[in-house]
Every structure is written in structure tokens, then in C-alpha cells.
Amino acid sequence: MKVTFALPLHGFLGYGGAEVQAEMTAAELRKLGVDVEFLTPLTKELGDLVHAFGPYDSFGPLVGHAKARNVPFVVSTINYTHYSNSFAYWRDVIRTRRRRHPLRLRKALFEAADLLLPNSQAEKDFCLRLFKLDPRRIIVIPNGVAPRFAKAEPHIFRERFGIEGEFVLNVARVEKRKNQLNLIRALRGTGIPLVIIGKTLDADYLRECRQASDGHVRFLPALDHEDPALASAYAAAKVFALPSRLETPGIAGLEAALAGARVVITPIGGAGEYFGEHARYVDPSSVDSIRASLLAAWNDDHYDAQAVRTHILNHFTWAKVAEQTLAAYATVARITA
């Protein structure tokens, strides 16, 4: 079986969860005998199936090419918007009176797909509620984590960046959705160091974050996903914080938990389905909520890192994700028949 994977052409410039998901899924599918190739501007032929990652309207022409060739089209939805209900969603779409409104195009993409693969039941429910899709064309495939993070050691990160002692870690693009500003505000005055690793496409937001820090925040550039220093950073951290306004959910949280860090995370987007009682959940809009959860995690003398590792390794490795993805591909023939 040959599968064409598709990401936005600019995707790796702002490397994030979608790119990690695609790369790791491809690697594990190849171990199962699937021939995976990534779409490039030089691609001349599509595979037996096209798998796109994300809700991007730039996939519109690709859908057309797949349909013209009778090639099944699958989308990992990775769908997030600031709309909490379908009324608010469509009210804004109608008000703009734009036939090619991005949200209209997102709905059209999802409707054109033969199969949709959200990362959680919460994301599935969100898509159903907003887009009124056929639930028979939706299969939940979770995000995953590489088992190597369970073996991470803190010394690589500490030696490279000269960081000693305990700290809170955030690994994410520095942007409003990831909510680093409220994280900085939550830790201000506590004396607890914060390390933020990630690039930004929003210079104004980064500047605001730097201005809000009180001398206990260190900003580091993004680390390559395969860089041992990234796994080491998770192992060095006492608490990993991802108080995003929405995640689907954050792969970094799984990696950090596997490396032994205590996780404080947003509940918006399905994280509870992954971590259960093994994480603390915050209201991203509340600095007080973030501070309370961070302090509770920081002072938790009964945290069982090994229990968390076992839970994640039993349910959320990329190998398991690939097996479920391949099984989902097998359903496409029945759906499109």
C-alpha cells in the first residue's frame, strides 16, 4: 500500500504538533510495510490513499486531484477554533458574507473527505457539533509519543544551557493560543524559575511575554524533535505546563510526562482522555487557576512518575497510533464502496 501524506508547504517553518504527528505516524507505518511519501511541489502521482494533516483550506486543490483519480482522501482534523457552539460559528461566517470564508472552506474540506481522524472524542464531538458531519465517517485516532522519552536524562539539557535546580518547563510555539503570557503571570512572585522553549511567529506577543517576566523566566530557541536535549529538558523539569487556550491535545505534554515531569495542562481539547487523574487541569483564562495548579503540582510529594509512564506506554505510543491508523485506512474501502 502506498500513501501520500500532505502538510501545508510552510508547515516545517513553524514546526509543531501536526508535523510531529505526520512524521512519527509515517515512520511507524513504514515499519508495518506501508510506503509513505510526503507530498511536495514535485509530486507527480498520488498513492493509493491521501492522508492530509490539519484543517487547512490549502488542501482544497489536493482534494480535487484525489477525487479526479478516485483516490480516497483522509484528514487528521487537528481542528480548533475559538467558537464554543455552532450558532456563534455560523453567525460570524454569515456576517462576513464571504463565499470563501476560511470556516466555510474548512467545512467543505471535512465534508469532501472520505474519512476524518480526530485525536480525541472531544475533538470528534466538536467537529460534529459545528459542522454537522456524518459520524460514520469519523474514527478517533489518538496522538502518540516515542518511548525514548521514558529514558531521558537531565544532564544533557543542563550542561548545554547551564540550567541548574528545579524549574517549570513550557515547550510550544510562543503564541497567544499557547498562553505563555498567563503562565508567566501565574509564576510571577513565586520565585519558581520558568523555562520556555519554542520559536515564535508573533514578535509582539513574545515582546509582551518578555516584558511580563520578573527575571525568573528564560527563553530558549526551539529544539529539533530528535535533539536529545529536548527529551533531556523534559527530564530536567519538575513541572511541565501547557495552559493553552486549546490543545488537541499537546504532544509535548505526553513527552514530558513520559520523561517524568508533573503535568499541568488545559482541559480544553481532550487532554483528560489522555492523562486522566495523572495531570492537573487549569482554566487558561485564569491566572489564579494556573498558579494554584502549578503550586499544587510543584509541592506534590506523592506524585508517581512510574505510574504515569506505564499508563502512557500502554495506550499512546506512535506504534499503537500507526496500527490504529492502518486499521482506519482499511475502513475507507467500505465507506467509499
Side-chain angles (χ1 to χ4, degrees):
M1 182 182 192
K2 182 177 179 180
V3 177
T4 301
F5 271 24
L7 286 162
L9 292 181
H10 66 276
F12 280 81
L13 295 175
Y15 191 87
E19 289 71 36
V20 172
Q21 182 181 343
E23 277 197 307
M24 299 306 296
T25 302
E28 294 298 332
L29 282 174
R30 289 173 181 132
K31 294 177 184 178
L32 298 176
V34 180
D35 181 4
V36 180
E37 291 186 357
F38 280 79
L39 183 76
T40 77
L42 300 179
T43 298
K44 295 181 180 180
E45 297 293 335
L46 298 177
D48 304 308
L49 178 146
V50 175
H51 186 164
F53 290 80
Y56 306 111
D57 55 34
S58 60
F59 291 142
L62 179 60
V63 175
H65 284 290
K67 296 295 183 182
R69 292 164 172 77
N70 200 30
V71 174
F73 192 84
V74 174
V75 179
S76 286
T77 51
I78 316 178
N79 180 58
Y80 50 85
T81 77
H82 64 280
Y83 297 97
S84 60
N85 60 71
S86 58
F87 173 77
Y89 172 90
W90 289 111
R91 178 197 61 201
D92 281 8
V93 171
I94 292 169
R95 280 178 176 174
T96 64
R97 298 182 180 180
R98 289 170 56 192
R99 292 180 60 84
R100 291 185 58 79
H101 189 287
L103 299 178
R104 289 187 186 273
L105 297 174
R106 182 174 299 189
K107 177 176 172 62
L109 173 68
F110 290 167
E111 289 179 336
D114 297 301
L115 188 65
L116 299 174
L117 306 178
N119 292 142
S120 67
Q121 183 63 42
E123 186 182 349
K124 175 182 177 179
D125 293 343
F126 188 73
C127 290
L128 288 173
R129 186 170 67 250
L130 264 65
F131 301 113
K132 310 301 182 186
L133 302 168
D134 181 354
R136 295 172 296 179
R137 295 190 300 109
I138 305 179
I139 297 175
V140 174
I141 304 292
N143 260 327
V145 64
R148 64 183 174 85
F149 287 94
K151 301 177 182 179
E153 297 289 343
H155 67 89
I156 297 174
F157 176 76
R158 293 191 181 281
E159 291 170 5
R160 182 183 298 185
F161 295 102
I163 294 177
E164 301 296 334
E166 298 175 327
F167 60 91
V168 172
L169 176 68
N170 172 266
V171 177
R173 280 194 298 266
V174 181
E175 60 184 13
K176 290 180 180 178
R177 183 172 71 87
K178 296 295 185 176
N179 205 28
Q180 284 94 349
L181 183 58
N182 274 357
L183 174 59
I184 291 169
R185 289 169 173 166
L187 284 173
R188 193 160 53 192
T190 65
I192 296 175
L194 170 63
V195 176
I196 296 175
I197 298 176
K199 66 170 61 177
T200 184
L201 301 179
D202 187 342
D204 290 338
Y205 186 70
L206 176 60
R207 187 178 305 109
E208 195 175 0
C209 288
R210 290 186 181 278
Q211 290 173 348
S213 63
D214 62 356
H216 293 281
V217 183
R218 183 161 177 187
F219 295 86
L220 299 177
L223 296 174
D224 186 86
H225 192 249
E226 300 300 315
D227 188 333
L230 177 60
S232 179
Y234 293 137
K238 184 172 184 177
V239 176
F240 178 81
L242 197 65
S244 309
R245 299 188 183 280
L246 190 141
E247 290 286 349
T248 59
I251 294 172
L254 290 169
E255 294 170 346
L258 198 55
R262 308 166 188 189
V263 173
V264 173
I265 196 167
T266 180
I268 306 172
E273 298 174 37
Y274 288 67
F275 293 101
E277 63 182 12
H278 300 299
R280 298 179 187 274
Y281 303 95
V282 302
D283 175 357
S285 64
S286 170
V287 171
D288 289 341
S289 170
I290 298 170
R291 180 185 294 114
S293 291
L294 286 170
L295 291 177
W298 187 268
N299 295 313
D300 185 356
D301 295 328
H302 303 289
Y303 182 73
D304 189 344
Q306 188 53 49
V308 181
R309 287 191 183 97
T310 300
H311 168 71
I312 292 174
L313 290 173
N314 285 343
H315 297 94
F316 301 113
T317 62
W318 287 117
K320 296 181 185 297
V321 169
E323 291 171 359
Q324 294 176 56
T325 301
L326 187 57
Y329 292 166
T331 70
V332 174
R334 295 196 294 272
I335 292 173
T336 58

